[in-house]
Amino acid sequence: MKFAEFETFKMAYDEAGSGIPILFIHGYPLNRLMWQPQIEALQTDAHVIAPDLRGHGDSTPIEGVYSMDLLAEDCEKLLDHLNIQQKIVLCGLSMGGYISFAFARKFPERLAGLILTATRAAPDSEEAKLNRQRSMQVAREQGIEPIIESMIAKVLSPFTLKNRPELVQTVRQIMQRTSLQAILGDLQGMMERIDSRPFLKQIAVPTLILHGKDDTLIPIEEAQAMQAAIPNSQLLIVENAAHLPNLEASERFNQAVRHFLKTL
Ligand code: MLT
C-alpha cells in the first residue's frame, strides 16, 4: 500500500505492473481490496492502480457529501500524483461506475477505454432516495454494522452466500473498513447524482460492460440500456455472479478485461 498526500486527505492505493494504466474504482461500501484478484492477475498485462476513495479503507475519513464529481476529481489527482500522462482504462464497479461517468464527463482526454461493471446510468428513483435516507439514519443511530450486513445479503448471489463462506467473510471484512463518514458521504453523493443517460452517446472510447447474471441490486436491463446507448460498447453477462462479478467470477472477469485490453 502507498499513499498520495492531498491537501485535505491522504489517499491510499495499490499499484503493480507496467503498460497501459488501468484505474479500478471500487463500489460502496467497499475499498481497493475488492480488486485483489484483478491486481494479482492483470499486473502482467497492465499498470494496475486501485485507490481507496476518501474515507474508505486506509484513506483518511473526512466529513461531507462525497459527490460523484468530487470522487472523480480525487481519482484524477491520483493520476497526476503518479505522473501518468498516457491515456488510461477506467474500470468502475457500481458506485465506481457512477464515478466513472463523472470522470468521463470531466476528463475525456484522459481515457483510452471504459469498463462499466454492475452499474447504471440512471439516477436514483424517489424510492431509492428514501432508502438512502433511511440508511443514513440507521448508520447515524446504530453505526455501520447493520448497513454492512444488509449490503452483504444484497451484493452476493444466493450460491455465493450458501457455498462460499470464505468469500462472504472477505467481503464483510472489506466492508468493515469503511468509515461512518464515508457511508454517509457516499449515500448523500449517490442520492444527489445526476442522470448520466443523456451523456452515454457522447462516450467516444471503447466500452466494455460487465454485469453479473444474478445481480438484483442493479438489474441486467440497466446494463442492456447502457449498451444500446454507448456507441462503441459491448456487454458481457457474467454467469454465477451477482453484484460483485470481479470477486464471484474473478477468472471470467479477468479474462474479459484482458481480452478488452488487447483490442485497444
Ligand atoms: C455499490 O455497490 O456501489 C452500491 O450498491 C451502488 C448503489 O447503492 O447505488
Side-chain angles (χ1 to χ4, degrees), residues 26-30 93-98 118-120 124 132 151 155 187 190 193 217-218 243-244:
H26 63 76
Y28 157 90
L30 292 149
L93 180 136
S94 201
M95 181 179 77
Y98 311 156
T119 195
R120 56 156 49 108
D124 273 6
R132 303 256 192 233
M151 282 305 283
V155 295
L187 287 166
M190 288 193 285
R193 78 184 189 280
L217 213 54
I218 300 186
H243 194 60
L244 299 177

PDB file of all heavy atoms in Angstrom, residues 26-30 93-98 118-120 124 132 151 155 187 190 193 217-218 243-244, ligand 1:
ATOM      1  N   HIS A  26     -13.579   1.342  -6.794  1.00  0.00           N
ATOM      2  CA  HIS A  26     -14.425   0.404  -6.045  1.00  0.00           C
ATOM      3  C   HIS A  26     -15.836   0.941  -5.837  1.00  0.00           C
ATOM      4  O   HIS A  26     -16.124   2.123  -6.047  1.00  0.00           O
ATOM      5  CB  HIS A  26     -13.772   0.053  -4.696  1.00  0.00           C
ATOM      6  CG  HIS A  26     -13.595   1.213  -3.763  1.00  0.00           C
ATOM      7  ND1 HIS A  26     -14.630   1.757  -3.050  1.00  0.00           N
ATOM      8  CD2 HIS A  26     -12.493   1.939  -3.412  1.00  0.00           C
ATOM      9  CE1 HIS A  26     -14.176   2.750  -2.286  1.00  0.00           C
ATOM     10  NE2 HIS A  26     -12.877   2.894  -2.505  1.00  0.00           N
ATOM     11  N   GLY A  27     -16.712   0.053  -5.373  1.00  0.00           N
ATOM     12  CA  GLY A  27     -18.105   0.404  -5.092  1.00  0.00           C
ATOM     13  C   GLY A  27     -18.303   0.764  -3.623  1.00  0.00           C
ATOM     14  O   GLY A  27     -17.347   0.893  -2.844  1.00  0.00           O
ATOM     15  N   TYR A  28     -19.554   0.882  -3.260  1.00  0.00           N
ATOM     16  CA  TYR A  28     -19.994   1.236  -1.899  1.00  0.00           C
ATOM     17  C   TYR A  28     -20.492  -0.017  -1.204  1.00  0.00           C
ATOM     18  O   TYR A  28     -21.255  -0.773  -1.846  1.00  0.00           O
ATOM     19  CB  TYR A  28     -21.125   2.254  -1.993  1.00  0.00           C
ATOM     20  CG  TYR A  28     -22.039   2.323  -0.781  1.00  0.00           C
ATOM     21  CD1 TYR A  28     -21.759   3.188   0.265  1.00  0.00           C
ATOM     22  CD2 TYR A  28     -23.177   1.503  -0.695  1.00  0.00           C
ATOM     23  CE1 TYR A  28     -22.604   3.240   1.376  1.00  0.00           C
ATOM     24  CE2 TYR A  28     -24.014   1.561   0.409  1.00  0.00           C
ATOM     25  CZ  TYR A  28     -23.727   2.432   1.436  1.00  0.00           C
ATOM     26  OH  TYR A  28     -24.554   2.482   2.523  1.00  0.00           O
ATOM     27  N   PRO A  29     -20.189  -0.262   0.027  1.00  0.00           N
ATOM     28  CA  PRO A  29     -19.234   0.388   0.926  1.00  0.00           C
ATOM     29  C   PRO A  29     -17.978  -0.479   0.963  1.00  0.00           C
ATOM     30  O   PRO A  29     -17.806  -1.285   1.879  1.00  0.00           O
ATOM     31  CB  PRO A  29     -19.966   0.373   2.272  1.00  0.00           C
ATOM     32  CG  PRO A  29     -20.852  -0.881   2.199  1.00  0.00           C
ATOM     33  CD  PRO A  29     -20.980  -1.288   0.754  1.00  0.00           C
ATOM     34  N   LEU A  30     -17.129  -0.296  -0.022  1.00  0.00           N
ATOM     35  CA  LEU A  30     -16.001  -1.211  -0.232  1.00  0.00           C
ATOM     36  C   LEU A  30     -14.689  -0.425  -0.230  1.00  0.00           C
ATOM     37  O   LEU A  30     -14.655   0.709   0.226  1.00  0.00           O
ATOM     38  CB  LEU A  30     -16.226  -1.964  -1.552  1.00  0.00           C
ATOM     39  CG  LEU A  30     -17.413  -2.947  -1.504  1.00  0.00           C
ATOM     40  CD1 LEU A  30     -18.081  -3.092  -2.858  1.00  0.00           C
ATOM     41  CD2 LEU A  30     -16.929  -4.307  -0.998  1.00  0.00           C
ATOM     42  N   LEU A  93     -16.877  -0.155 -10.597  1.00  0.00           N
ATOM     43  CA  LEU A  93     -17.959  -1.073 -10.219  1.00  0.00           C
ATOM     44  C   LEU A  93     -19.015  -0.323  -9.414  1.00  0.00           C
ATOM     45  O   LEU A  93     -18.691   0.312  -8.400  1.00  0.00           O
ATOM     46  CB  LEU A  93     -17.405  -2.243  -9.408  1.00  0.00           C
ATOM     47  CG  LEU A  93     -18.458  -3.268  -8.967  1.00  0.00           C
ATOM     48  CD1 LEU A  93     -17.967  -4.699  -9.176  1.00  0.00           C
ATOM     49  CD2 LEU A  93     -18.880  -3.061  -7.520  1.00  0.00           C
ATOM     50  N   SER A  94     -20.245  -0.393  -9.877  1.00  0.00           N
ATOM     51  CA  SER A  94     -21.405   0.163  -9.178  1.00  0.00           C
ATOM     52  C   SER A  94     -21.214   1.651  -8.875  1.00  0.00           C
ATOM     53  O   SER A  94     -21.152   2.440  -9.808  1.00  0.00           O
ATOM     54  CB  SER A  94     -21.709  -0.661  -7.940  1.00  0.00           C
ATOM     55  OG  SER A  94     -23.043  -0.426  -7.568  1.00  0.00           O
ATOM     56  N   MET A  95     -21.026   2.057  -7.611  1.00  0.00           N
ATOM     57  CA  MET A  95     -20.745   3.472  -7.362  1.00  0.00           C
ATOM     58  C   MET A  95     -19.497   3.897  -8.142  1.00  0.00           C
ATOM     59  O   MET A  95     -19.413   5.030  -8.630  1.00  0.00           O
ATOM     60  CB  MET A  95     -20.557   3.731  -5.866  1.00  0.00           C
ATOM     61  CG  MET A  95     -20.284   5.184  -5.534  1.00  0.00           C
ATOM     62  SD  MET A  95     -20.077   5.496  -3.778  1.00  0.00           S
ATOM     63  CE  MET A  95     -18.406   4.895  -3.494  1.00  0.00           C
ATOM     64  N   GLY A  96     -18.547   2.966  -8.278  1.00  0.00           N
ATOM     65  CA  GLY A  96     -17.356   3.247  -9.090  1.00  0.00           C
ATOM     66  C   GLY A  96     -17.726   3.541 -10.540  1.00  0.00           C
ATOM     67  O   GLY A  96     -17.033   4.287 -11.227  1.00  0.00           O
ATOM     68  N   GLY A  97     -18.823   2.958 -11.002  1.00  0.00           N
ATOM     69  CA  GLY A  97     -19.330   3.257 -12.341  1.00  0.00           C
ATOM     70  C   GLY A  97     -19.929   4.663 -12.399  1.00  0.00           C
ATOM     71  O   GLY A  97     -19.711   5.408 -13.355  1.00  0.00           O
ATOM     72  N   TYR A  98     -20.666   5.037 -11.346  1.00  0.00           N
ATOM     73  CA  TYR A  98     -21.229   6.403 -11.307  1.00  0.00           C
ATOM     74  C   TYR A  98     -20.078   7.424 -11.359  1.00  0.00           C
ATOM     75  O   TYR A  98     -20.176   8.461 -12.023  1.00  0.00           O
ATOM     76  CB  TYR A  98     -22.045   6.666 -10.031  1.00  0.00           C
ATOM     77  CG  TYR A  98     -23.077   5.639  -9.631  1.00  0.00           C
ATOM     78  CD1 TYR A  98     -23.498   5.514  -8.295  1.00  0.00           C
ATOM     79  CD2 TYR A  98     -23.654   4.782 -10.568  1.00  0.00           C
ATOM     80  CE1 TYR A  98     -24.445   4.599  -7.905  1.00  0.00           C
ATOM     81  CE2 TYR A  98     -24.608   3.846 -10.177  1.00  0.00           C
ATOM     82  CZ  TYR A  98     -24.993   3.746  -8.849  1.00  0.00           C
ATOM     83  OH  TYR A  98     -25.929   2.820  -8.449  1.00  0.00           O
ATOM     84  N   ALA A 118     -21.476  -3.768 -13.149  1.00  0.00           N
ATOM     85  CA  ALA A 118     -22.551  -3.773 -12.148  1.00  0.00           C
ATOM     86  C   ALA A 118     -23.009  -2.363 -11.825  1.00  0.00           C
ATOM     87  O   ALA A 118     -23.095  -1.975 -10.660  1.00  0.00           O
ATOM     88  CB  ALA A 118     -22.062  -4.478 -10.879  1.00  0.00           C
ATOM     89  N   THR A 119     -23.254  -1.583 -12.878  1.00  0.00           N
ATOM     90  CA  THR A 119     -23.609  -0.183 -12.628  1.00  0.00           C
ATOM     91  C   THR A 119     -24.793   0.238 -13.486  1.00  0.00           C
ATOM     92  O   THR A 119     -25.339  -0.561 -14.254  1.00  0.00           O
ATOM     93  CB  THR A 119     -22.374   0.727 -12.824  1.00  0.00           C
ATOM     94  OG1 THR A 119     -22.630   2.003 -12.244  1.00  0.00           O
ATOM     95  CG2 THR A 119     -21.986   0.886 -14.288  1.00  0.00           C
ATOM     96  N   ARG A 120     -25.184   1.488 -13.333  1.00  0.00           N
ATOM     97  CA  ARG A 120     -26.304   2.032 -14.110  1.00  0.00           C
ATOM     98  C   ARG A 120     -26.050   3.499 -14.396  1.00  0.00           C
ATOM     99  O   ARG A 120     -25.364   4.179 -13.635  1.00  0.00           O
ATOM    100  CB  ARG A 120     -27.625   1.861 -13.357  1.00  0.00           C
ATOM    101  CG  ARG A 120     -27.634   2.479 -11.977  1.00  0.00           C
ATOM    102  CD  ARG A 120     -29.026   2.833 -11.433  1.00  0.00           C
ATOM    103  NE  ARG A 120     -30.023   1.807 -11.520  1.00  0.00           N
ATOM    104  CZ  ARG A 120     -30.513   1.108 -10.474  1.00  0.00           C
ATOM    105  NH1 ARG A 120     -30.026   1.322  -9.264  1.00  0.00           N
ATOM    106  NH2 ARG A 120     -31.460   0.228 -10.658  1.00  0.00           N
ATOM    107  N   ASP A 124     -31.021   7.963  -9.026  1.00  0.00           N
ATOM    108  CA  ASP A 124     -31.873   7.306  -8.030  1.00  0.00           C
ATOM    109  C   ASP A 124     -33.347   7.620  -8.280  1.00  0.00           C
ATOM    110  O   ASP A 124     -33.696   8.775  -8.570  1.00  0.00           O
ATOM    111  CB  ASP A 124     -31.514   7.816  -6.615  1.00  0.00           C
ATOM    112  CG  ASP A 124     -30.397   7.021  -5.979  1.00  0.00           C
ATOM    113  OD1 ASP A 124     -29.806   6.155  -6.660  1.00  0.00           O
ATOM    114  OD2 ASP A 124     -30.105   7.262  -4.789  1.00  0.00           O
ATOM    115  N   ARG A 132     -32.011   5.540   0.776  1.00  0.00           N
ATOM    116  CA  ARG A 132     -30.712   6.120   1.160  1.00  0.00           C
ATOM    117  C   ARG A 132     -30.877   6.911   2.470  1.00  0.00           C
ATOM    118  O   ARG A 132     -30.039   6.829   3.358  1.00  0.00           O
ATOM    119  CB  ARG A 132     -30.212   7.095   0.094  1.00  0.00           C
ATOM    120  CG  ARG A 132     -30.059   6.515  -1.297  1.00  0.00           C
ATOM    121  CD  ARG A 132     -28.634   6.255  -1.657  1.00  0.00           C
ATOM    122  NE  ARG A 132     -28.520   5.985  -3.071  1.00  0.00           N
ATOM    123  CZ  ARG A 132     -27.914   4.907  -3.573  1.00  0.00           C
ATOM    124  NH1 ARG A 132     -27.355   4.009  -2.796  1.00  0.00           N
ATOM    125  NH2 ARG A 132     -27.825   4.728  -4.866  1.00  0.00           N
ATOM    126  N   MET A 151     -26.037  -5.027   3.230  1.00  0.00           N
ATOM    127  CA  MET A 151     -25.396  -4.984   1.900  1.00  0.00           C
ATOM    128  C   MET A 151     -24.860  -6.363   1.501  1.00  0.00           C
ATOM    129  O   MET A 151     -24.972  -6.762   0.342  1.00  0.00           O
ATOM    130  CB  MET A 151     -24.248  -3.962   1.886  1.00  0.00           C
ATOM    131  CG  MET A 151     -24.688  -2.531   1.760  1.00  0.00           C
ATOM    132  SD  MET A 151     -25.744  -2.204   0.320  1.00  0.00           S
ATOM    133  CE  MET A 151     -24.562  -2.177  -1.018  1.00  0.00           C
ATOM    134  N   VAL A 155     -25.409  -7.982  -2.162  1.00  0.00           N
ATOM    135  CA  VAL A 155     -24.406  -7.921  -3.247  1.00  0.00           C
ATOM    136  C   VAL A 155     -23.968  -9.290  -3.747  1.00  0.00           C
ATOM    137  O   VAL A 155     -23.488  -9.407  -4.868  1.00  0.00           O
ATOM    138  CB  VAL A 155     -23.148  -7.090  -2.860  1.00  0.00           C
ATOM    139  CG1 VAL A 155     -23.509  -5.641  -2.648  1.00  0.00           C
ATOM    140  CG2 VAL A 155     -22.415  -7.660  -1.666  1.00  0.00           C
ATOM    141  N   LEU A 187     -23.695   7.839   0.533  1.00  0.00           N
ATOM    142  CA  LEU A 187     -25.153   7.750   0.373  1.00  0.00           C
ATOM    143  C   LEU A 187     -25.711   9.085  -0.119  1.00  0.00           C
ATOM    144  O   LEU A 187     -26.516   9.137  -1.047  1.00  0.00           O
ATOM    145  CB  LEU A 187     -25.825   7.333   1.688  1.00  0.00           C
ATOM    146  CG  LEU A 187     -25.621   5.852   2.068  1.00  0.00           C
ATOM    147  CD1 LEU A 187     -26.026   5.612   3.532  1.00  0.00           C
ATOM    148  CD2 LEU A 187     -26.425   4.924   1.165  1.00  0.00           C
ATOM    149  N   MET A 190     -24.472   9.635  -3.786  1.00  0.00           N
ATOM    150  CA  MET A 190     -25.172   8.797  -4.773  1.00  0.00           C
ATOM    151  C   MET A 190     -26.602   9.279  -4.957  1.00  0.00           C
ATOM    152  O   MET A 190     -27.133   9.280  -6.068  1.00  0.00           O
ATOM    153  CB  MET A 190     -25.148   7.324  -4.342  1.00  0.00           C
ATOM    154  CG  MET A 190     -23.777   6.693  -4.472  1.00  0.00           C
ATOM    155  SD  MET A 190     -23.817   4.879  -4.331  1.00  0.00           S
ATOM    156  CE  MET A 190     -24.072   4.665  -2.572  1.00  0.00           C
ATOM    157  N   ARG A 193     -26.725  12.195  -7.269  1.00  0.00           N
ATOM    158  CA  ARG A 193     -26.016  12.119  -8.554  1.00  0.00           C
ATOM    159  C   ARG A 193     -26.955  12.411  -9.722  1.00  0.00           C
ATOM    160  O   ARG A 193     -28.154  12.140  -9.644  1.00  0.00           O
ATOM    161  CB  ARG A 193     -25.332  10.753  -8.717  1.00  0.00           C
ATOM    162  CG  ARG A 193     -26.244   9.635  -9.105  1.00  0.00           C
ATOM    163  CD  ARG A 193     -25.505   8.303  -9.160  1.00  0.00           C
ATOM    164  NE  ARG A 193     -26.353   7.281  -9.741  1.00  0.00           N
ATOM    165  CZ  ARG A 193     -27.305   6.614  -9.091  1.00  0.00           C
ATOM    166  NH1 ARG A 193     -27.536   6.861  -7.803  1.00  0.00           N
ATOM    167  NH2 ARG A 193     -28.028   5.717  -9.716  1.00  0.00           N
ATOM    168  N   LEU A 217     -29.436  -6.010  -7.195  1.00  0.00           N
ATOM    169  CA  LEU A 217     -29.304  -4.613  -6.765  1.00  0.00           C
ATOM    170  C   LEU A 217     -29.438  -3.683  -7.977  1.00  0.00           C
ATOM    171  O   LEU A 217     -30.086  -2.641  -7.921  1.00  0.00           O
ATOM    172  CB  LEU A 217     -27.936  -4.433  -6.107  1.00  0.00           C
ATOM    173  CG  LEU A 217     -27.788  -3.456  -4.975  1.00  0.00           C
ATOM    174  CD1 LEU A 217     -28.780  -3.732  -3.872  1.00  0.00           C
ATOM    175  CD2 LEU A 217     -26.374  -3.513  -4.427  1.00  0.00           C
ATOM    176  N   ILE A 218     -28.796  -4.078  -9.078  1.00  0.00           N
ATOM    177  CA  ILE A 218     -28.924  -3.332 -10.336  1.00  0.00           C
ATOM    178  C   ILE A 218     -29.297  -4.341 -11.421  1.00  0.00           C
ATOM    179  O   ILE A 218     -28.466  -5.150 -11.840  1.00  0.00           O
ATOM    180  CB  ILE A 218     -27.625  -2.580 -10.688  1.00  0.00           C
ATOM    181  CG1 ILE A 218     -27.282  -1.569  -9.574  1.00  0.00           C
ATOM    182  CG2 ILE A 218     -27.774  -1.870 -12.046  1.00  0.00           C
ATOM    183  CD1 ILE A 218     -26.117  -0.653  -9.842  1.00  0.00           C
ATOM    184  N   HIS A 243     -23.711  -8.949  -7.732  1.00  0.00           N
ATOM    185  CA  HIS A 243     -23.280  -7.555  -7.846  1.00  0.00           C
ATOM    186  C   HIS A 243     -21.751  -7.393  -7.804  1.00  0.00           C
ATOM    187  O   HIS A 243     -21.239  -6.310  -8.035  1.00  0.00           O
ATOM    188  CB  HIS A 243     -23.949  -6.766  -6.712  1.00  0.00           C
ATOM    189  CG  HIS A 243     -23.891  -5.286  -6.868  1.00  0.00           C
ATOM    190  ND1 HIS A 243     -24.443  -4.612  -7.946  1.00  0.00           N
ATOM    191  CD2 HIS A 243     -23.343  -4.317  -6.077  1.00  0.00           C
ATOM    192  CE1 HIS A 243     -24.238  -3.314  -7.800  1.00  0.00           C
ATOM    193  NE2 HIS A 243     -23.574  -3.119  -6.678  1.00  0.00           N
ATOM    194  N   LEU A 244     -21.031  -8.480  -7.479  1.00  0.00           N
ATOM    195  CA  LEU A 244     -19.565  -8.369  -7.421  1.00  0.00           C
ATOM    196  C   LEU A 244     -18.922  -9.396  -8.357  1.00  0.00           C
ATOM    197  O   LEU A 244     -18.192 -10.296  -7.904  1.00  0.00           O
ATOM    198  CB  LEU A 244     -19.066  -8.580  -5.973  1.00  0.00           C
ATOM    199  CG  LEU A 244     -19.567  -7.578  -4.923  1.00  0.00           C
ATOM    200  CD1 LEU A 244     -19.054  -7.939  -3.535  1.00  0.00           C
ATOM    201  CD2 LEU A 244     -19.129  -6.148  -5.282  1.00  0.00           C
TER     202      LEU A 244
HETATM  203  C1  MLT B   1     -22.483  -0.032  -4.927  1.00  0.00           C
HETATM  204  O1  MLT B   1     -22.331  -1.256  -4.986  1.00  0.00           O
HETATM  205  O2  MLT B   1     -21.575   0.757  -5.170  1.00  0.00           O
HETATM  206  C2  MLT B   1     -23.822   0.499  -4.498  1.00  0.00           C
HETATM  207  O3  MLT B   1     -24.636  -0.555  -4.130  1.00  0.00           O
HETATM  208  C3  MLT B   1     -24.481   1.301  -5.556  1.00  0.00           C
HETATM  209  C4  MLT B   1     -25.768   1.892  -5.109  1.00  0.00           C
HETATM  210  O4  MLT B   1     -26.147   1.773  -3.938  1.00  0.00           O
HETATM  211  O5  MLT B   1     -26.427   2.531  -5.956  1.00  0.00           O
END
